[in-house]
Amino acid sequence: MLNTRSKVVAFILALGRRLTGLLCVLFGVSLITFTMTYFAPGDKASAIANARYPDVQGFPPEILDGIREEFSLNEPFFVQFFQWLYRFVQGDFGNSFASNTPVWDIFVANAAETFSLTATALVLGLVLAFALSSIAVWRPGSLFDRASVALASVGAAMPNYWLGLLLILLFAAQLNWLPAYGTGSPSHLVLPALTLAFWITASQTRLLRAFFLEAKAAPYIETLRLRGVSETEIFWRHIFRHAAVPALTMIGLDIASLLEGAVIVELTFARGGIGSLLAGSVLSRDYPMVLFLVLFSAVVYVFINSMIEFLQEIMDPRNSVWSHQQAVPSGEARS
Amino acid sequence: MTVQADVGFLEAPDAQRSKQELDLKRFLVQLGLSLLIFLVAVAACFLLSPYAPNEPNFLERLSPPSASHWLGTDQLGRDVAARLLYGGVWSIGLAFLVTIVGAIAGTAIGLAAGHFGRAADVTLMRVTDSFFAFPELIAAVTIAGVLGPSTTNMVLALILVGWMKFARLVRSLSVDLAHRDFVVQARLNGLPSYRILWRHILPNIAPSLLVLWTNAWSRTILSISGLSFLGFGVQSPNAEWGAMLLDGKAYMQTAPHLMIFPGLAILIAVLSINLTGDRLRDLLGSNGAAAG
Amino acid sequence: MLRVEKLQLRLHGKPILEEVSFDLPRGKTLCIVGESGSGKSSLLRAVNGLMPATFDSLTFRPKNGRPISLKEYWKGRAGLPGSRWVMQDPLSALNPKLALGVSIGESVFAQKLKSLELKAAISAALADVELPAEMAKRRPAQVSMGQAQRACLARALIARPDLVFFDEPLSALDAIVQKQIAATMRRIQTRFDMTFVIVTHDLGFAAAYADQMLVLRGGKVEANQSAEMFFQAPESDYCRELIAAARELGGLPETVVQVSGSKAAIPC
């Protein structure tokens, strides 16, 4: 048996190992992102010049050379990479080519839109998924159960851009209840949030149902029932609590998919937000913006994943932190 | 001599297992037959259809479904049914291509990580993790967009973002397998690495790989249509389903059929592949959970 | 022909095996006995280079060839050349996706036989372990445990090894099959003049089979003596207890027949 102190040491070591891995991945992520923009077609100097002097057509080579000098575009790849990384780590993300304002400011201005969309959709989707799956497992195999499984299957196969269009067709074009495109009032949020929430409901109903069924099948549930514990109490105090932990980790893992969903939904409904910002910057080759957004999504995703893996690692007695073996390679769970 | 005096020579050693194998065989036969019928039907439609997918007819613009145009015509008078048929080749076929390339690359990397020592493992898996850190669609939009929206660039982007899950699955399964008795035996018997990988590791991870691949295939169909719908993929006038949706979006009120049929086609294609994959996973009894 | 001196094995700082030595002459059988966790299987793995053990020396003299140095042996990292291994659970020792014949044939992969020669060799090996030739086409799931273990035997002997390691070769099988396979093992050992190292926890089997005994307990050697001496005058109290317990359970006859003279004397 290990004493408390060596447990703490082992815990810190495990944390250290994870952080090292995380740093490696973050470095790899920035290298990949930078490489991609470095080798992207098109002359960066004229892109910068276009952004800086929007009214001028055609630049003399001296100006372009000056810009190349200023942005170190003539330096070797790795010099440019480390210069960029150095500034990036210090929080200097550069200015957008398109508007010549700091990338960070533009990002903050757009983040609220995306956040309100994803948060609304997440809450709505989870509440629906929870309601559906808990009613469904009440009597497995019943009509309701089968319907919820079918809904989950269709939902997983449903292209959410198409669902968005259908909702627009029905509620905006035909019934004229809600605005179709744009941002602004809360009513603009309804259709996009519904679209995204439907997808969350579909994917989570399937998982929650499986977790509930598993928790319900545990032998001790039958014992409780024999002891006369009421069904309601069994469900809330035992089944629900048992299923909640795996469900929460799965939801965490789906954050990446949520971000992806937001991109599509924002573009479908012509909303502002990070997704539209990304698409716009990509098309106008606004590299500082693109670099920042891609790195941001990757970093968010990596952090959430690492946190979940770490939590699982310390919560799961089977691969306890202080065992010598490396934990099972994780990540297959990303759906 | 006590030839075959062993107990249980005649009875099936594992009745459960052979029943499962039978079910699997029957399912594969059914699947093959329905695929064949489907392909023949599609080929017949191609041959018998009087309309070319990109042939405009300005006299019959935006006409609703009718006897001559079963699914109506679009804003240039092109037959929607014919375009859907051709579009399927783009959506389903390109996704097939992308996932096959991704699966092969990922499998090779996963096997290399699992079998060529600790240094190779750490390096390759760090690279895989780094690629894996990008949300798939965001990375695909960026790559396809930065390179310039076109079919080729989209395919390239999807291959770049799609191989990692194969690498991870193959690596973790093959590391598990490497400690199994029969692989240890093969090593003790002096078999060369390539033979161990080819005959012992690969066949035993193939079922999980197949399940993951069907899953990746259907997701890639959604990605291809999605990217095309956003303008980063197959470009008009080519009849990809997502690109057709993009075209049809503008005529939502006057000609909703332009928007309904391509979406329905995507839904049906993805749903059928998903259901096939689910059934395969049940029948193979593999740790398909890893492919979730 | 196989001599190990002071083998040490540590895993994660914990000693698994300490100063294990033995010396096994050609054609003889060494039985390694001990309770589970005593390090029996680890010893086999360590000797075969599957675990990072240290030795004072390890000498192996195959029949045709020069002795193999420790350095050469570590380079290969895959078993002693000219030796084969039969494992405990035949179903996990055989690739479920391969026909038995293919698994058996892989044992002589390095010889690069032509397909006809290989087929003949596989049939011969199957016949040697008393399996019909059509077994070559079956897959592990389609045969009984006993047949699968025979196939593993065939896989070992097709390579005509000098030395065969057995890791609890009979414990996955029921009593009748155990007896039959023990008899087959004995027959092929005499016929091909092979040396056996058998890990077992069955003293009765060891009594009937062993020329030499190596008893392990907690990674340390409790006894290393000839079987004859072992059953008459064990080296330690632990061994005495072990023998007494086996007698009480009836797994061991009161007087052990001296078997090394006529090996056919094994009851079967």
Side-chain angles (χ1 to χ4, degrees):
Chain A
M1 274 276 110
L2 290 161
N3 58 31
T4 325
R5 206 175 129 196
S6 57
K7 270 184 189 173
V8 171
V9 170
F11 178 84
I12 292 170
L13 278 179
L15 193 68
R17 206 166 49 216
R18 213 151 251 299
L19 281 178
T20 323
L22 194 65
L23 281 179
C24 283
V25 167
L26 288 180
F27 181 79
V29 162
S30 14
L31 185 61
I32 296 170
T33 321
F34 187 80
T35 311
M36 192 181 65
T37 48
Y38 181 85
F39 288 107
D43 180 22
K44 277 166 209 74
S46 34
I48 298 171
N50 274 321
R52 198 173 278 184
Y53 316 103
D55 308 325
V56 186
Q57 289 291 315
F59 296 97
E62 303 87 63
I63 289 187
L64 293 180
D65 281 340
I67 287 173
R68 283 196 192 99
E69 196 65 37
E70 187 186 334
F71 287 84
S72 321
L73 292 178
N74 292 322
E75 301 288 336
F77 172 76
F78 274 104
V79 175
Q80 286 194 41
F81 171 64
F82 281 110
Q83 280 179 352
W84 168 76
L85 191 63
Y86 180 70
R87 284 197 304 269
F88 202 90
V89 170
Q90 289 183 321
D92 173 12
F93 307 124
N95 281 4
S96 157
F97 283 174
S99 59
N100 214 8
T101 41
V103 160
W104 176 252
D105 296 348
I106 305 176
F107 169 75
V108 171
N110 282 276
E113 288 292 338
T114 304
F115 182 76
S116 59
L117 170 66
T118 45
T120 318
L122 194 61
V123 171
L124 194 64
L126 285 181
V127 168
L128 274 174
F130 174 73
L132 274 179
S133 55
S134 53
I135 299 173
V137 295
W138 202 257
R139 226 177 276 139
S142 65
L143 197 66
F144 190 90
D145 184 32
R146 279 193 230 164
S148 75
V149 172
L151 180 81
S153 296
V154 172
M158 175 76 98
N160 40 19
Y161 36 94
W162 187 53
L163 179 67
L165 291 182
L166 288 182
L167 289 179
I168 292 175
L169 180 63
L170 183 64
F171 291 106
Q174 302 289 328
L175 299 173
N176 226 347
W177 287 354
L178 291 159
Y181 301 115
T183 352
S185 66
S187 61
H188 280 98
L189 190 61
V190 177
L191 291 183
L194 266 182
T195 310
L196 203 50
F198 178 75
W199 170 80
I200 296 168
T201 306
S203 66
Q204 296 301 323
T205 301
R206 202 185 166 106
L207 288 167
L208 277 172
R209 183 179 169 275
F211 292 139
F212 277 141
L213 281 180
E214 205 183 311
K216 224 183 148 188
Y220 74 93
I221 298 290
E222 196 52 41
T223 321
L224 288 174
R225 203 164 280 146
L226 289 174
R227 238 194 267 154
V229 181
S230 77
E231 284 294 323
T232 334
E233 199 187 330
I234 288 181
F235 182 81
W236 286 106
R237 286 207 38 194
H238 299 278
I239 300 179
F240 176 65
R241 265 176 47 190
H242 228 82
V245 177
L248 275 179
T249 50
M250 289 313 295
I251 293 163
L253 288 171
D254 260 354
I255 293 286
S257 312
L258 198 62
L259 263 176
E260 295 178 355
V263 172
I264 288 190
V265 170
E266 280 173 8
L267 288 168
T268 309
F269 288 93
R271 285 172 62 83
I274 296 172
S276 320
L277 183 61
L278 176 73
S281 327
V282 162
L283 284 179
S284 62
R285 293 177 195 282
D286 187 350
Y287 291 121
M289 201 73 234
V290 173
L291 268 175
F292 176 79
L293 288 176
V294 172
L295 259 184
F296 168 78
S297 62
V299 168
V300 166
Y301 177 55
V302 169
F303 264 109
I304 289 173
N305 252 7
S306 303
M307 256 164 51
I308 288 166
E309 278 172 26
F310 187 66
L311 282 178
Q312 274 174 334
E313 210 173 306
I314 52 176
M315 282 192 310
D316 189 349
R318 272 171 309 176
N319 44 359
S320 62
V321 196
W322 34 86
S323 88
H324 291 274
Q325 277 172 332
Q326 272 285 344
V328 186
S330 47
E332 287 89 33
R334 181 176 168 194
S335 58
Chain B
M1 292 254 285
T2 53
V3 183
Q4 309 119 37
D6 291 348
V7 191
F9 175 60
L10 288 174
E11 71 186 278
D14 197 342
Q16 192 94 45
R17 196 192 160 90
S18 43
K19 184 181 174 296
Q20 199 187 358
E21 269 179 20
L22 262 180
D23 280 351
L24 178 62
K25 265 186 195 141
R26 202 169 50 209
F27 175 68
L28 288 180
V29 169
Q30 285 168 357
L31 183 65
L33 278 179
S34 24
L35 264 181
L36 193 72
I37 294 170
F38 176 73
L39 286 177
V40 168
V42 169
C45 291
F46 268 115
L47 291 175
L48 299 178
S49 164
Y51 306 106
N54 287 336
E55 184 187 79
N57 179 353
F58 294 103
L59 298 175
E60 287 187 284
R61 290 169 53 191
L62 299 173
S63 63
S66 64
S68 56
H69 295 282
W70 290 356
L71 302 181
T73 60
D74 69 2
Q75 71 278 10
L76 299 176
R78 298 173 295 195
D79 184 62
V80 170
R83 287 176 68 73
L84 272 189
L85 267 179
Y86 278 85
V89 177
W90 285 98
S91 307
I92 302 176
L94 280 182
F96 185 85
L97 184 82
V98 164
T99 45
I100 285 283
V101 175
I104 291 174
T107 305
I109 288 168
L111 284 178
H115 287 270
F116 295 115
R118 181 117 186 88
D121 187 15
V122 171
T123 320
L124 286 174
M125 287 331 280
R126 289 263 186 271
V127 171
T128 308
D129 284 350
S130 302
F131 272 90
F132 212 68
F134 298 99
E136 228 176 272
L137 192 91
I138 292 178
V141 163
T142 312
I143 300 171
V146 166
L147 293 178
S150 77
T151 308
T152 327
N153 290 340
M154 174 189 67
V155 167
L156 203 69
L158 286 174
I159 289 174
L160 271 175
V161 301
W163 58 270
M164 295 81 72
K165 43 185 180 278
F166 293 100
R168 279 201 174 178
L169 178 80
V170 167
R171 186 220 169 243
S172 79
L173 289 182
S174 67
V175 165
D176 286 351
L177 274 172
H179 299 291
R180 292 273 295 278
D181 283 351
F182 65 87
V183 179
V184 174
Q185 272 278 1
R187 270 171 60 204
L188 286 170
N189 291 351
L191 284 191
S193 296
Y194 74 86
R195 173 118 182 157
I196 293 181
L197 292 177
W198 186 248
R199 295 306 285 271
H200 294 276
I201 305 282
L202 263 186
N204 284 292
I205 58 179
S208 311
L209 208 51
L210 187 66
V211 171
L212 178 63
W213 175 72
T214 46
N215 188 284
W217 188 15
S218 65
R219 281 173 64 96
T220 308
I221 294 178
L222 283 177
S223 297
I224 287 181
S225 301
L227 285 172
S228 303
F229 174 70
L230 301 181
F232 291 95
V234 178
Q235 304 290 313
S236 204
N238 288 316
E240 199 278 339
W241 291 341
M244 289 172 71
L245 268 182
L246 179 60
D247 283 348
K249 192 177 154 187
Y251 304 93
M252 186 182 284
Q253 295 209 307
T254 45
H257 65 271
L258 286 187
M259 203 198 83
I260 288 173
F261 293 122
L264 209 56
I266 302 172
L267 179 66
I268 291 171
V270 173
L271 193 60
S272 347
I273 295 177
N274 278 351
L275 292 179
T276 311
D278 287 353
R279 186 92 180 98
L280 262 182
R281 172 166 57 195
D282 294 345
L283 285 171
L284 292 169
S286 66
N287 37 1
Chain C
M1 78 168 297
L2 176 65
R3 206 165 90 178
V4 172
E5 265 171 45
K6 294 204 176 156
L7 182 149
Q8 306 257 17
L9 177 67
R10 299 175 75 82
L11 280 182
H12 310 312
K14 266 200 305 192
I16 307 289
L17 292 167
E18 290 172 62
E19 307 218 333
V20 178
S21 309
F22 60 86
D23 186 2
L24 182 62
R26 182 179 310 284
K28 300 289 184 193
T29 301
L30 170 73
C31 277
I32 303 173
V33 181
E35 56 202 25
S36 48
S38 62
K40 309 176 297 230
S41 296
S42 303
L43 179 57
L44 275 202
R45 285 171 181 271
V47 168
N48 274 285
L50 293 174
M51 282 179 159
T54 55
F55 307 87
D56 270 11
S57 78
L58 180 135
T59 328
F60 177 61
R61 287 172 200 282
K63 211 180 295 172
N64 340 297
R66 52 201 185 79
I68 283 136
S69 77
L70 201 57
K71 210 172 148 196
E72 283 173 279
Y73 151 72
W74 273 110
K75 223 186 286 167
R77 270 203 70 94
L80 296 169
S83 77
R84 284 295 180 264
W85 187 323
V86 176
M87 291 179 167
Q88 174 173 4
D89 178 5
L91 288 185
S92 68
L94 291 165
N95 184 340
K97 304 278 176 199
L98 290 186
L100 296 181
V102 178
S103 286
I104 295 170
E106 282 195 334
S107 184
V108 288
F109 183 79
Q111 296 176 17
K112 304 253 178 283
L113 296 179
K114 295 209 177 61
S115 102
L116 272 182
E117 290 170 344
L118 185 63
K119 249 188 184 154
I122 292 167
S123 305
L126 283 171
D128 286 334
V129 296
E130 291 147 17
L131 283 178
E134 67 259 25
M135 279 286 160
K137 292 198 190 78
R138 301 266 190 104
R139 282 199 279 141
Q142 297 166 318
V143 301
S144 71
M145 283 290 255
Q147 290 166 332
Q149 192 59 305
R150 281 175 191 275
C152 290
L153 268 180
R155 171 166 62 180
L157 83 97
I158 192 176
R160 296 285 178 269
D162 286 337
L163 181 60
V164 184
F165 296 97
F166 291 88
D167 188 359
E168 307 252 15
L170 304 179
S171 52
L173 310 169
D174 60 55
I176 302 172
V177 184
Q178 279 187 358
K179 218 166 135 186
Q180 291 165 346
I181 289 188
T184 309
M185 280 165 60
R186 165 110 313 155
R187 222 172 32 71
I188 57 178
Q189 181 177 23
T190 11
R191 184 158 157 219
F192 298 111
D193 185 26
M194 293 190 282
T195 312
F196 280 4
V197 174
I198 305 176
V199 164
T200 178
H201 58 258
D202 182 352
L203 263 192
F205 171 76
Y209 214 117
D211 298 307
Q212 277 194 313
M213 294 291 292
L214 182 71
V215 181
L216 292 178
R217 186 195 188 192
K220 294 196 187 92
V221 177
E222 279 284 340
N224 179 13
Q225 51 188 150
S226 77
E228 198 183 340
M229 289 301 291
F230 177 79
F231 287 104
Q232 280 163 16
E235 264 174 10
S236 71
D237 291 341
Y238 174 71
C239 299
R240 229 162 288 155
E241 262 177 61
L242 212 61
I243 294 172
R247 287 227 167 93
E248 233 166 82
L249 284 171
L252 197 63
E254 281 303 316
T255 49
V256 173
V257 199
Q258 166 57 291
V259 288
S260 59
S262 66
K263 289 190 165 163
I266 187 174
C268 53

